[in-house]
Amino acid sequence: MSVSKDTIRSFCKENYINPARSRGDSHITIRIAEVARAFGLEPDSHVICDAVWSTEFEMENNLFRVSNSCLRNSKVSNMVFRVLPE
């Protein structure tokens, strides 16, 4: 299944960013396996990391990239962002 980066970014915004902002969270953790499962992708799919761990996603959602275990080939890949004020 082919999923566009824009679709992945929209999914993450709706399911991670918006709820975290509503709760007043200071940080957001996006779990790659959860996103992959939602789209029927393999958990080690790099398209998710490429879509979300980007300056474009960071700027669109007013976030600051903190850490990314995708880059370390971790079995549990997470991306952590700090939520910046809007």
Side-chain angles (χ1 to χ4, degrees):
M1 175 182 197
S2 177
V3 180
S4 75
K5 290 180 181 180
D6 287 336
T7 300
I8 292 168
R9 284 191 285 266
S10 293
F11 174 86
C12 289
K13 181 174 184 172
E14 291 173 26
N15 292 278
Y16 291 93
I17 309 303
N18 292 344
R21 283 196 184 280
S22 294
R23 291 188 302 266
D25 295 352
S26 63
H27 287 77
I28 299 167
T29 300
I30 297 178
R31 291 167 185 80
I32 303 308
E34 291 175 3
V35 178
R37 193 171 26 258
F39 291 105
L41 299 170
E42 293 298 318
D44 62 349
S45 177
H46 289 284
V47 69
I48 299 166
C49 288
D50 291 345
V52 179
W53 196 256
S54 66
T55 303
E56 181 180 356
F57 186 76
E58 184 180 36
M59 299 302 288
E60 284 175 357
N61 295 289
N62 209 26
L63 304 170
F64 178 79
R65 293 177 281 179
V66 176
S67 68
N68 178 354
S69 60
C70 295
L71 302 175
R72 294 187 298 273
N73 295 321
S74 172
K75 290 186 181 194
V76 180
S77 296
N78 297 315
M79 292 177 279
V80 179
F81 298 88
R82 186 173 73 218
V83 179
L84 300 175
E86 291 192 287

